[in-house]
Amino acid sequence: MDLREIRGQLRTSSSVVFFGGAGTSTESNIPDFRTAGGLYNRSDPHDRKPEQLLHIHTLLNEPETFFTYYRTHLIHPEAQPNKAHRVLANWEKAGLLDTVITQNIDGLHQKAGSSNVLELHGSAHRNYCMECLRPAALDHVIQSTTVPRCTHCQGMVRPDVVLYGEELDMDVMNRAVNAVRSADFLIIGGTSLVVYPAAGLISVFSGRNLLLINKEPTVYDDRARWVIHDSIGEVLSQLAQ
Ligand SMILES: [Zn+2]
């Protein structure tokens, strides 16, 4: 793979967008529960899958079960941005990158310094009371031993993340679609592209410069101008040189 060609194209493109999946965060030691080696088959005593435990019905009907699982597997306050996050933040500051679109809820892009980040699945760092809608701190959710309660009205506090059984935030999704549609260089990293809405986003990209970086092959490899099956942190670091 000749990275010089990609590097040159990156620097002369007018709008570069990065779209990242769980693989962007696994290099910060955050497990991907959708891929092999992730959280599957390490479920609760009832042997339910993450899709069931992280379902809106579980939050509403069995909140203790939900929060026990959520706190253990979805919150990683100690995680630090990796090379991929840092390169992308530097590119944004240098005016080389317009938008980061992510399926992750860990806030690591912002922690690395990115500011134009579209979080398709929300963020674990935002939490709010389901009754009075007042915001609550992530620490409050972490420190509650059972179900986190609002300090004002005792309503249940929930994370502002899109759970199974819930719709995506259409405003965020529309902004992501517009960003991809107007991009002339799209980097997709760390996603197998099988989970909605990833497949939908790639379909609105009409430019020629599609770079796919994923450790495993994806169903869209044929459509990309460049495909690199490697660590996203390593590849972006090399591109940044
Ligand atoms: Zn409240």
Side-chain angles (χ1 to χ4, degrees):
M1 179 62 59
D2 187 0
L3 291 183
R4 281 175 305 181
E5 181 193 42
I6 305 176
R7 240 181 248 128
Q9 199 69 54
L10 264 175
R11 277 165 176 67
T12 54
S13 292
S14 58
S15 177
V16 180
V17 168
F18 175 83
F19 173 47
T24 314
S25 290
T26 50
E27 291 170 26
S28 291
N29 295 318
I30 294 179
D32 172 13
F33 58 85
R34 288 194 181 89
T35 59
L39 297 180
Y40 274 127
N41 305 319
R42 287 197 269 136
S43 283
D44 74 336
H46 305 293
D47 204 26
R48 286 178 289 188
K49 301 268 189 205
E51 298 102 311
Q52 295 167 284
L53 292 163
L54 297 172
H55 199 282
I56 180 63
H57 290 162
T58 307
L59 172 70
L60 297 177
N61 301 321
E62 301 172 73
E64 288 198 26
T65 302
F66 173 88
F67 278 105
T68 299
Y69 187 85
Y70 176 79
R71 266 193 293 266
T72 308
H73 296 294
L74 274 289
I75 300 183
H76 304 276
E78 75 295 339
Q80 295 299 323
N82 61 53
K83 288 181 197 167
H85 299 108
R86 289 195 293 269
V87 167
L88 292 166
N90 288 338
W91 281 353
E92 183 186 309
K93 288 193 190 90
L96 286 170
L97 178 83
D98 284 352
T99 307
V100 168
I101 303 167
T102 181
Q103 297 181 285
N104 301 327
I105 61 169
D106 50 48
L108 289 180
H109 286 291
Q110 292 92 332
K111 202 168 185 177
S114 288
S115 53
N116 198 14
V117 182
L118 298 176
E119 297 170 306
L120 296 179
H121 291 157
S123 173
H125 293 269
R126 292 190 303 270
N127 297 272
Y128 64 93
C129 170
M130 294 176 74
E131 303 299 327
C132 73
L133 305 180
R134 280 189 175 91
L138 174 60
D139 277 348
H140 181 60
V141 175
I142 293 172
Q143 286 157 11
S144 303
T145 49
T146 56
V147 176
R149 293 281 166 192
C150 175
T151 53
H152 299 275
C153 77
Q154 291 300 304
M156 186 160 70
V157 167
R158 67 160 289 175
D160 190 5
V161 302
V162 181
L163 302 176
Y164 289 97
E166 293 189 300
E167 302 285 331
L168 293 177
D169 181 326
M170 285 318 292
D171 176 54
V172 177
M173 187 61 190
N174 286 336
R175 287 161 64 197
V177 166
N178 287 335
V180 170
R181 192 172 273 152
S182 56
D184 61 353
F185 197 119
L186 178 63
I187 307 168
I188 299 183
T191 168
S192 53
L193 290 166
V194 290
V195 181
Y196 175 84
L201 271 180
I202 197 172
S203 70
V204 300
F205 179 65
S206 58
R208 183 162 165 262
N209 300 313
L210 175 59
L211 167 60
L212 278 187
I213 308 166
N214 200 51
K215 283 187 175 165
E216 311 293 331
T218 79
V219 291
Y220 289 94
D221 283 8
D222 289 348
R223 283 185 51 173
R225 181 168 177 188
W226 306 282
V227 179
I228 304 178
H229 294 145
D230 201 345
S231 145
I232 183 159
E234 286 303 322
V235 175
L236 291 185
S237 295
Q238 288 178 31
L239 282 175
Q241 281 168 13

mmCIF file of all heavy atoms in Angstrom, residues 127-169:
data_model
loop_
_atom_site.group_PDB
_atom_site.id
_atom_site.type_symbol
_atom_site.label_atom_id
_atom_site.label_comp_id
_atom_site.label_asym_id
_atom_site.label_seq_id
_atom_site.Cartn_x
_atom_site.Cartn_y
_atom_site.Cartn_z
ATOM 1 N N ASN A 127 -25.897 12.369 31.007
ATOM 2 C CA ASN A 127 -26.928 11.603 31.704
ATOM 3 C C ASN A 127 -27.999 12.576 32.165
ATOM 4 O O ASN A 127 -27.706 13.747 32.412
ATOM 5 C CB ASN A 127 -26.327 10.870 32.901
ATOM 6 C CG ASN A 127 -25.279 9.848 32.471
ATOM 7 O OD1 ASN A 127 -25.590 8.710 32.188
ATOM 8 N ND2 ASN A 127 -24.017 10.274 32.397
ATOM 9 N N TYR A 128 -29.225 12.086 32.246
ATOM 10 C CA TYR A 128 -30.297 13.001 32.634
ATOM 11 C C TYR A 128 -31.411 12.255 33.358
ATOM 12 O O TYR A 128 -31.584 11.040 33.211
ATOM 13 C CB TYR A 128 -30.857 13.750 31.419
ATOM 14 C CG TYR A 128 -31.518 12.856 30.389
ATOM 15 C CD1 TYR A 128 -32.890 12.612 30.433
ATOM 16 C CD2 TYR A 128 -30.768 12.248 29.386
ATOM 17 C CE1 TYR A 128 -33.500 11.793 29.496
ATOM 18 C CE2 TYR A 128 -31.368 11.428 28.449
ATOM 19 C CZ TYR A 128 -32.729 11.206 28.500
ATOM 20 O OH TYR A 128 -33.327 10.379 27.589
ATOM 21 N N CYS A 129 -32.181 13.033 34.130
ATOM 22 C CA CYS A 129 -33.325 12.477 34.861
ATOM 23 C C CYS A 129 -34.486 12.269 33.898
ATOM 24 O O CYS A 129 -34.835 13.157 33.129
ATOM 25 C CB CYS A 129 -33.723 13.446 35.971
ATOM 26 S SG CYS A 129 -35.301 13.026 36.756
ATOM 27 N N MET A 130 -35.067 11.075 33.952
ATOM 28 C CA MET A 130 -36.170 10.767 33.038
ATOM 29 C C MET A 130 -37.459 11.496 33.410
ATOM 30 O O MET A 130 -38.387 11.552 32.613
ATOM 31 C CB MET A 130 -36.414 9.257 32.996
ATOM 32 C CG MET A 130 -35.242 8.494 32.379
ATOM 33 S SD MET A 130 -35.446 6.701 32.406
ATOM 34 C CE MET A 130 -36.681 6.479 31.110
ATOM 35 N N GLU A 131 -37.524 12.051 34.631
ATOM 36 C CA GLU A 131 -38.728 12.774 35.060
ATOM 37 C C GLU A 131 -38.611 14.264 34.780
ATOM 38 O O GLU A 131 -39.444 14.846 34.101
ATOM 39 C CB GLU A 131 -38.973 12.548 36.556
ATOM 40 C CG GLU A 131 -39.096 11.088 36.961
ATOM 41 C CD GLU A 131 -40.253 10.367 36.278
ATOM 42 O OE1 GLU A 131 -41.285 11.018 36.016
ATOM 43 O OE2 GLU A 131 -40.117 9.158 35.991
ATOM 44 N N CYS A 132 -37.571 14.894 35.341
ATOM 45 C CA CYS A 132 -37.467 16.349 35.229
ATOM 46 C C CYS A 132 -36.437 16.791 34.189
ATOM 47 O O CYS A 132 -36.289 17.984 33.933
ATOM 48 C CB CYS A 132 -37.150 16.978 36.590
ATOM 49 S SG CYS A 132 -35.450 16.707 37.154
ATOM 50 N N LEU A 133 -35.755 15.816 33.574
ATOM 51 C CA LEU A 133 -34.803 16.066 32.482
ATOM 52 C C LEU A 133 -33.553 16.843 32.900
ATOM 53 O O LEU A 133 -32.763 17.246 32.048
ATOM 54 C CB LEU A 133 -35.489 16.756 31.288
ATOM 55 C CG LEU A 133 -36.718 16.045 30.723
ATOM 56 C CD1 LEU A 133 -37.289 16.829 29.539
ATOM 57 C CD2 LEU A 133 -36.381 14.617 30.295
ATOM 58 N N ARG A 134 -33.375 17.058 34.210
ATOM 59 C CA ARG A 134 -32.145 17.733 34.641
ATOM 60 C C ARG A 134 -30.939 16.839 34.347
ATOM 61 O O ARG A 134 -31.019 15.621 34.500
ATOM 62 C CB ARG A 134 -32.182 18.007 36.144
ATOM 63 C CG ARG A 134 -32.975 19.221 36.559
ATOM 64 C CD ARG A 134 -32.737 19.477 38.046
ATOM 65 N NE ARG A 134 -33.371 20.707 38.488
ATOM 66 C CZ ARG A 134 -34.620 20.773 38.983
ATOM 67 N NH1 ARG A 134 -35.344 19.677 39.080
ATOM 68 N NH2 ARG A 134 -35.120 21.938 39.373
ATOM 69 N N PRO A 135 -29.829 17.444 33.935
ATOM 70 C CA PRO A 135 -28.634 16.639 33.694
ATOM 71 C C PRO A 135 -28.054 16.090 34.996
ATOM 72 O O PRO A 135 -28.242 16.678 36.065
ATOM 73 C CB PRO A 135 -27.670 17.623 33.031
ATOM 74 C CG PRO A 135 -28.145 18.981 33.421
ATOM 75 C CD PRO A 135 -29.630 18.878 33.652
ATOM 76 N N ALA A 136 -27.388 14.957 34.877
ATOM 77 C CA ALA A 136 -26.693 14.363 36.029
ATOM 78 C C ALA A 136 -25.284 14.007 35.590
ATOM 79 O O ALA A 136 -25.032 13.723 34.419
ATOM 80 C CB ALA A 136 -27.432 13.108 36.508
ATOM 81 N N ALA A 137 -24.366 14.023 36.538
ATOM 82 C CA ALA A 137 -22.963 13.754 36.204
ATOM 83 C C ALA A 137 -22.723 12.260 36.016
ATOM 84 O O ALA A 137 -23.386 11.431 36.639
ATOM 85 C CB ALA A 137 -22.057 14.280 37.317
ATOM 86 N N LEU A 138 -21.762 11.944 35.152
ATOM 87 C CA LEU A 138 -21.385 10.540 34.962
ATOM 88 C C LEU A 138 -20.947 9.917 36.288
ATOM 89 O O LEU A 138 -21.280 8.770 36.589
ATOM 90 C CB LEU A 138 -20.255 10.437 33.924
ATOM 91 C CG LEU A 138 -19.662 9.043 33.713
ATOM 92 C CD1 LEU A 138 -20.713 8.041 33.245
ATOM 93 C CD2 LEU A 138 -18.510 9.096 32.721
ATOM 94 N N ASP A 139 -20.231 10.682 37.107
ATOM 95 C CA ASP A 139 -19.786 10.161 38.401
ATOM 96 C C ASP A 139 -20.964 9.710 39.262
ATOM 97 O O ASP A 139 -20.854 8.744 40.030
ATOM 98 C CB ASP A 139 -18.986 11.228 39.167
ATOM 99 C CG ASP A 139 -17.538 11.254 38.708
ATOM 100 O OD1 ASP A 139 -17.134 10.314 37.994
ATOM 101 O OD2 ASP A 139 -16.820 12.219 39.047
ATOM 102 N N HIS A 140 -22.078 10.416 39.145
ATOM 103 C CA HIS A 140 -23.263 10.045 39.915
ATOM 104 C C HIS A 140 -23.757 8.657 39.488
ATOM 105 O O HIS A 140 -24.152 7.843 40.331
ATOM 106 C CB HIS A 140 -24.351 11.108 39.701
ATOM 107 C CG HIS A 140 -25.603 10.842 40.455
ATOM 108 N ND1 HIS A 140 -25.642 10.741 41.829
ATOM 109 C CD2 HIS A 140 -26.880 10.636 40.033
ATOM 110 C CE1 HIS A 140 -26.889 10.487 42.215
ATOM 111 N NE2 HIS A 140 -27.648 10.417 41.148
ATOM 112 N N VAL A 141 -23.711 8.392 38.185
ATOM 113 C CA VAL A 141 -24.131 7.085 37.682
ATOM 114 C C VAL A 141 -23.140 6.010 38.133
ATOM 115 O O VAL A 141 -23.524 4.916 38.551
ATOM 116 C CB VAL A 141 -24.226 7.113 36.140
ATOM 117 C CG1 VAL A 141 -24.553 5.730 35.584
ATOM 118 C CG2 VAL A 141 -25.269 8.138 35.698
ATOM 119 N N ILE A 142 -21.861 6.339 38.069
ATOM 120 C CA ILE A 142 -20.829 5.363 38.445
ATOM 121 C C ILE A 142 -20.911 5.037 39.931
ATOM 122 O O ILE A 142 -20.783 3.880 40.349
ATOM 123 C CB ILE A 142 -19.426 5.921 38.100
ATOM 124 C CG1 ILE A 142 -19.269 6.039 36.581
ATOM 125 C CG2 ILE A 142 -18.325 5.041 38.683
ATOM 126 C CD1 ILE A 142 -18.002 6.761 36.144
ATOM 127 N N GLN A 143 -21.153 6.071 40.750
ATOM 128 C CA GLN A 143 -21.097 5.878 42.189
ATOM 129 C C GLN A 143 -22.381 5.311 42.794
ATOM 130 O O GLN A 143 -22.364 4.829 43.924
ATOM 131 C CB GLN A 143 -20.720 7.200 42.872
ATOM 132 C CG GLN A 143 -19.235 7.528 42.671
ATOM 133 C CD GLN A 143 -18.926 9.005 42.809
ATOM 134 O OE1 GLN A 143 -19.771 9.777 43.261
ATOM 135 N NE2 GLN A 143 -17.733 9.402 42.408
ATOM 136 N N SER A 144 -23.478 5.376 42.044
ATOM 137 C CA SER A 144 -24.717 4.784 42.569
ATOM 138 C C SER A 144 -24.541 3.276 42.579
ATOM 139 O O SER A 144 -24.170 2.675 41.578
ATOM 140 C CB SER A 144 -25.904 5.145 41.666
ATOM 141 O OG SER A 144 -26.029 6.541 41.554
ATOM 142 N N THR A 145 -24.817 2.662 43.720
ATOM 143 C CA THR A 145 -24.621 1.219 43.769
ATOM 144 C C THR A 145 -25.798 0.469 43.153
ATOM 145 O O THR A 145 -25.668 -0.679 42.749
ATOM 146 C CB THR A 145 -24.429 0.747 45.220
ATOM 147 O OG1 THR A 145 -25.467 1.319 46.011
ATOM 148 C CG2 THR A 145 -23.068 1.189 45.747
ATOM 149 N N THR A 146 -26.955 1.124 43.089
ATOM 150 C CA THR A 146 -28.093 0.467 42.437
ATOM 151 C C THR A 146 -28.528 1.313 41.241
ATOM 152 O O THR A 146 -27.758 1.526 40.333
ATOM 153 C CB THR A 146 -29.258 0.263 43.423
ATOM 154 O OG1 THR A 146 -29.611 1.531 43.988
ATOM 155 C CG2 THR A 146 -28.869 -0.693 44.525
ATOM 156 N N VAL A 147 -29.784 1.767 41.266
ATOM 157 C CA VAL A 147 -30.284 2.597 40.167
ATOM 158 C C VAL A 147 -29.986 4.062 40.490
ATOM 159 O O VAL A 147 -30.353 4.538 41.559
ATOM 160 C CB VAL A 147 -31.806 2.386 39.995
ATOM 161 C CG1 VAL A 147 -32.350 3.312 38.917
ATOM 162 C CG2 VAL A 147 -32.090 0.930 39.659
ATOM 163 N N PRO A 148 -29.325 4.802 39.585
ATOM 164 C CA PRO A 148 -29.050 6.213 39.878
ATOM 165 C C PRO A 148 -30.343 7.030 39.912
ATOM 166 O O PRO A 148 -31.197 6.883 39.047
ATOM 167 C CB PRO A 148 -28.133 6.648 38.734
ATOM 168 C CG PRO A 148 -28.367 5.666 37.642
ATOM 169 C CD PRO A 148 -28.777 4.378 38.288
ATOM 170 N N ARG A 149 -30.465 7.846 40.935
ATOM 171 C CA ARG A 149 -31.674 8.658 41.114
ATOM 172 C C ARG A 149 -31.322 10.134 41.041
ATOM 173 O O ARG A 149 -30.254 10.554 41.479
ATOM 174 C CB ARG A 149 -32.299 8.366 42.485
ATOM 175 C CG ARG A 149 -32.858 6.965 42.621
ATOM 176 C CD ARG A 149 -34.207 6.852 41.950
ATOM 177 N NE ARG A 149 -34.626 5.464 41.776
ATOM 178 C CZ ARG A 149 -35.651 5.090 41.023
ATOM 179 N NH1 ARG A 149 -36.351 5.993 40.354
ATOM 180 N NH2 ARG A 149 -35.966 3.824 40.908
ATOM 181 N N CYS A 150 -32.269 10.934 40.534
ATOM 182 C CA CYS A 150 -32.115 12.372 40.432
ATOM 183 C C CYS A 150 -32.045 12.982 41.840
ATOM 184 O O CYS A 150 -32.836 12.626 42.718
ATOM 185 C CB CYS A 150 -33.309 12.933 39.677
ATOM 186 S SG CYS A 150 -33.358 14.723 39.572
ATOM 187 N N THR A 151 -31.093 13.889 42.060
ATOM 188 C CA THR A 151 -30.963 14.492 43.379
ATOM 189 C C THR A 151 -32.052 15.533 43.634
ATOM 190 O O THR A 151 -32.222 15.981 44.752
ATOM 191 C CB THR A 151 -29.586 15.169 43.530
ATOM 192 O OG1 THR A 151 -29.389 16.063 42.429
ATOM 193 C CG2 THR A 151 -28.469 14.140 43.536
ATOM 194 N N HIS A 152 -32.803 15.900 42.580
ATOM 195 C CA HIS A 152 -33.874 16.890 42.741
ATOM 196 C C HIS A 152 -35.223 16.232 42.961
ATOM 197 O O HIS A 152 -35.970 16.609 43.843
ATOM 198 C CB HIS A 152 -33.947 17.804 41.517
ATOM 199 C CG HIS A 152 -32.696 18.580 41.273
ATOM 200 N ND1 HIS A 152 -32.430 19.781 41.889
ATOM 201 C CD2 HIS A 152 -31.618 18.312 40.503
ATOM 202 C CE1 HIS A 152 -31.238 20.228 41.502
ATOM 203 N NE2 HIS A 152 -30.736 19.353 40.664
ATOM 204 N N CYS A 153 -35.547 15.229 42.132
ATOM 205 C CA CYS A 153 -36.914 14.679 42.182
ATOM 206 C C CYS A 153 -36.950 13.171 42.376
ATOM 207 O O CYS A 153 -38.031 12.572 42.369
ATOM 208 C CB CYS A 153 -37.659 15.059 40.902
ATOM 209 S SG CYS A 153 -37.196 14.071 39.475
ATOM 210 N N GLN A 154 -35.791 12.541 42.532
ATOM 211 C CA GLN A 154 -35.726 11.082 42.739
ATOM 212 C C GLN A 154 -36.134 10.269 41.508
ATOM 213 O O GLN A 154 -36.286 9.051 41.588
ATOM 214 C CB GLN A 154 -36.574 10.653 43.953
ATOM 215 C CG GLN A 154 -35.994 11.123 45.284
ATOM 216 C CD GLN A 154 -34.595 10.570 45.528
ATOM 217 O OE1 GLN A 154 -34.363 9.371 45.515
ATOM 218 N NE2 GLN A 154 -33.618 11.473 45.699
ATOM 219 N N GLY A 155 -36.341 10.949 40.374
ATOM 220 C CA GLY A 155 -36.607 10.201 39.138
ATOM 221 C C GLY A 155 -35.379 9.384 38.747
ATOM 222 O O GLY A 155 -34.274 9.625 39.235
ATOM 223 N N MET A 156 -35.582 8.415 37.871
ATOM 224 C CA MET A 156 -34.446 7.588 37.439
ATOM 225 C C MET A 156 -33.573 8.378 36.474
ATOM 226 O O MET A 156 -34.069 9.031 35.561
ATOM 227 C CB MET A 156 -34.948 6.305 36.779
ATOM 228 C CG MET A 156 -33.813 5.339 36.441
ATOM 229 S SD MET A 156 -34.384 3.632 36.205
ATOM 230 C CE MET A 156 -35.284 3.765 34.668
ATOM 231 N N VAL A 157 -32.274 8.308 36.699
ATOM 232 C CA VAL A 157 -31.311 8.937 35.793
ATOM 233 C C VAL A 157 -30.894 7.906 34.760
ATOM 234 O O VAL A 157 -30.623 6.754 35.099
ATOM 235 C CB VAL A 157 -30.080 9.437 36.571
ATOM 236 C CG1 VAL A 157 -28.946 9.807 35.625
ATOM 237 C CG2 VAL A 157 -30.464 10.630 37.449
ATOM 238 N N ARG A 158 -30.884 8.320 33.500
ATOM 239 C CA ARG A 158 -30.453 7.401 32.441
ATOM 240 C C ARG A 158 -29.358 8.037 31.599
ATOM 241 O O ARG A 158 -29.243 9.260 31.524
ATOM 242 C CB ARG A 158 -31.630 7.006 31.545
ATOM 243 C CG ARG A 158 -32.198 8.149 30.717
ATOM 244 C CD ARG A 158 -32.996 7.637 29.530
ATOM 245 N NE ARG A 158 -32.109 7.050 28.526
ATOM 246 C CZ ARG A 158 -32.524 6.440 27.415
ATOM 247 N NH1 ARG A 158 -33.824 6.327 27.172
ATOM 248 N NH2 ARG A 158 -31.668 5.955 26.551
ATOM 249 N N PRO A 159 -28.546 7.196 30.969
ATOM 250 C CA PRO A 159 -27.533 7.731 30.060
ATOM 251 C C PRO A 159 -28.176 8.217 28.760
ATOM 252 O O PRO A 159 -29.176 7.651 28.306
ATOM 253 C CB PRO A 159 -26.613 6.528 29.796
ATOM 254 C CG PRO A 159 -27.452 5.328 30.054
ATOM 255 C CD PRO A 159 -28.472 5.722 31.088
ATOM 256 N N ASP A 160 -27.593 9.260 28.187
ATOM 257 C CA ASP A 160 -28.073 9.780 26.904
ATOM 258 C C ASP A 160 -27.432 8.979 25.779
ATOM 259 O O ASP A 160 -26.678 9.499 24.962
ATOM 260 C CB ASP A 160 -27.709 11.273 26.800
ATOM 261 C CG ASP A 160 -28.379 11.926 25.605
ATOM 262 O OD1 ASP A 160 -29.188 11.248 24.931
ATOM 263 O OD2 ASP A 160 -28.075 13.100 25.338
ATOM 264 N N VAL A 161 -27.693 7.668 25.804
ATOM 265 C CA VAL A 161 -27.199 6.793 24.752
ATOM 266 C C VAL A 161 -28.398 6.097 24.116
ATOM 267 O O VAL A 161 -29.437 5.922 24.748
ATOM 268 C CB VAL A 161 -26.189 5.741 25.276
ATOM 269 C CG1 VAL A 161 -25.000 6.414 25.933
ATOM 270 C CG2 VAL A 161 -26.842 4.777 26.238
ATOM 271 N N VAL A 162 -28.222 5.735 22.862
ATOM 272 C CA VAL A 162 -29.301 5.076 22.134
ATOM 273 C C VAL A 162 -29.265 3.588 22.475
ATOM 274 O O VAL A 162 -28.323 2.883 22.125
ATOM 275 C CB VAL A 162 -29.139 5.276 20.611
ATOM 276 C CG1 VAL A 162 -30.280 4.593 19.862
ATOM 277 C CG2 VAL A 162 -29.085 6.766 20.279
ATOM 278 N N LEU A 163 -30.282 3.132 23.173
ATOM 279 C CA LEU A 163 -30.344 1.730 23.576
ATOM 280 C C LEU A 163 -31.000 0.902 22.477
ATOM 281 O O LEU A 163 -31.643 1.441 21.572
ATOM 282 C CB LEU A 163 -31.149 1.597 24.872
ATOM 283 C CG LEU A 163 -30.612 2.396 26.059
ATOM 284 C CD1 LEU A 163 -31.560 2.266 27.247
ATOM 285 C CD2 LEU A 163 -29.208 1.926 26.435
ATOM 286 N N TYR A 164 -30.831 -0.405 22.566
ATOM 287 C CA TYR A 164 -31.567 -1.279 21.651
ATOM 288 C C TYR A 164 -33.060 -1.028 21.854
ATOM 289 O O TYR A 164 -33.518 -0.821 22.974
ATOM 290 C CB TYR A 164 -31.225 -2.742 21.915
ATOM 291 C CG TYR A 164 -29.820 -3.092 21.465
ATOM 292 C CD1 TYR A 164 -28.779 -3.103 22.375
ATOM 293 C CD2 TYR A 164 -29.550 -3.369 20.131
ATOM 294 C CE1 TYR A 164 -27.478 -3.406 21.969
ATOM 295 C CE2 TYR A 164 -28.257 -3.663 19.709
ATOM 296 C CZ TYR A 164 -27.230 -3.675 20.633
ATOM 297 O OH TYR A 164 -25.941 -3.956 20.232
ATOM 298 N N GLY A 165 -33.787 -1.005 20.756
ATOM 299 C CA GLY A 165 -35.214 -0.710 20.842
ATOM 300 C C GLY A 165 -35.525 0.765 20.755
ATOM 301 O O GLY A 165 -36.687 1.148 20.783
ATOM 302 N N GLU A 166 -34.496 1.614 20.659
ATOM 303 C CA GLU A 166 -34.706 3.055 20.545
ATOM 304 C C GLU A 166 -34.238 3.549 19.184
ATOM 305 O O GLU A 166 -33.358 2.964 18.562
ATOM 306 C CB GLU A 166 -33.941 3.807 21.647
ATOM 307 C CG GLU A 166 -34.482 3.534 23.031
ATOM 308 C CD GLU A 166 -33.852 4.459 24.067
ATOM 309 O OE1 GLU A 166 -32.618 4.421 24.230
ATOM 310 O OE2 GLU A 166 -34.607 5.198 24.710
ATOM 311 N N GLU A 167 -34.839 4.663 18.762
ATOM 312 C CA GLU A 167 -34.475 5.273 17.485
ATOM 313 C C GLU A 167 -33.213 6.112 17.650
ATOM 314 O O GLU A 167 -32.964 6.664 18.713
ATOM 315 C CB GLU A 167 -35.604 6.205 17.012
ATOM 316 C CG GLU A 167 -36.954 5.531 16.841
ATOM 317 C CD GLU A 167 -37.009 4.685 15.600
ATOM 318 O OE1 GLU A 167 -36.294 5.031 14.624
ATOM 319 O OE2 GLU A 167 -37.731 3.680 15.602
ATOM 320 N N LEU A 168 -32.475 6.234 16.557
ATOM 321 C CA LEU A 168 -31.361 7.175 16.566
ATOM 322 C C LEU A 168 -31.909 8.594 16.635
ATOM 323 O O LEU A 168 -33.041 8.856 16.235
ATOM 324 C CB LEU A 168 -30.553 7.038 15.274
ATOM 325 C CG LEU A 168 -29.783 5.741 15.058
ATOM 326 C CD1 LEU A 168 -29.123 5.777 13.694
ATOM 327 C CD2 LEU A 168 -28.747 5.532 16.134
ATOM 328 N N ASP A 169 -31.091 9.496 17.142
ATOM 329 C CA ASP A 169 -31.427 10.920 17.135
ATOM 330 C C ASP A 169 -31.361 11.403 15.682
ATOM 331 O O ASP A 169 -30.286 11.423 15.070
ATOM 332 C CB ASP A 169 -30.411 11.677 18.000
ATOM 333 C CG ASP A 169 -30.696 13.172 18.061
ATOM 334 O OD1 ASP A 169 -31.174 13.736 17.065
ATOM 335 O OD2 ASP A 169 -30.413 13.767 19.116
#
